[in-house]
Amino acid sequence: VQLQASGGGLVQPGGSLRLSCTASRSIFSFIVMGWYRQAPGKQRELVAVVTSGITSGGNTAYADSVKGRFTISRDNTKNTVYLQMNSLKPEDTAVYYCNAEERSTRVNYWGQGTQVTVSS
């Protein structure tokens, strides 16, 4: 399984970015997909997750620090999960990683990470 993350970059405070994570196979094979981030000198933390079930998927959860600013969504036809990030703050600066937990094995897969820098 490969997860290809993209969309990071440099943005000014208050700006927006959209991250994409494309899986090498159907996202229905994962029970949950999400985004984590790791800032320099800090531990990796959960940002947002979305469930991927065929009948009950689409449920979302967010870290308190991003609620109301970030939105996670999925496009089943493109095997892609997105993270729309609005009203970005300098403290959002981090490497963002895509994650997927396989439904059958509960193995976790990680993308390569994409750098997000919020600075004026």
Side-chain angles (χ1 to χ4, degrees), residues 37-91:
R37 67 186 181 186
Q38 187 166 18
K42 295 187 177 181
Q43 290 187 332
R44 190 172 297 188
E45 63 176 1
L46 173 70
V47 177
V49 293
V50 60
T51 58
S52 300
I54 295 175
T55 57
S56 61
N59 296 316
T60 60
Y62 298 90
D64 288 343
S65 60
V66 307
K67 282 181 181 177
R69 300 188 297 123
F70 290 11
T71 302
I72 189 169
S73 63
R74 60 180 190 168
D75 186 333
N76 300 334
T77 64
K78 297 181 179 180
N79 295 332
T80 299
V81 173
Y82 303 98
L83 184 68
Q84 178 66 44
M85 305 185 294
N86 299 327
S87 303
L88 282 161
K89 305 176 181 180
E91 50 264 43

